[in-house]
Amino acid sequence: AALDPVRSAQNPRLKAVRALRAGKDRTHVLLEGPHLLAEALDADLTLDWVLYDPDEHGVQARALLQRAEQADA
């Protein structure tokens, strides 16, 4: 999964998330929050990308991002 810090409301992937929420994209699924990310990683799902808040420095957030990076390797 490509890890992409969200630094701007104009981020192209954030725009894609808005399209998902609006029902304009029916080919992808949006998983939001650390619990669902952990579930997806546990299930070995293929993630296209992971968006995250670069200001979130919690231990859980760092561990999940590291797992997502390793899953992509």
Side-chain angles (χ1 to χ4, degrees):
L3 300 181
D4 192 8
V6 176
R7 300 186 192 280
S8 164
Q10 300 306 313
N11 179 300
R13 291 191 175 156
L14 190 55
K15 289 181 180 182
V17 168
R18 288 190 202 105
L20 277 166
R21 286 184 175 163
K24 296 177 183 175
D25 179 351
R26 298 191 186 273
T27 62
H28 294 91
V29 175
L30 175 64
L31 303 176
E32 207 167 349
H35 176 75
L36 291 178
L37 176 57
E39 292 285 329
L41 291 169
D42 290 344
D44 293 324
L45 294 179
T46 300
L47 304 174
D48 288 333
W49 20 274
V50 175
L51 301 177
Y52 66 94
D53 180 348
D55 294 329
E56 177 60 49
H57 297 292
V59 173
Q60 181 186 24
R62 285 193 305 267
L64 282 172
L65 291 173
Q66 185 176 33
R67 282 184 63 197
E69 282 182 315
Q70 290 171 348
D72 190 41

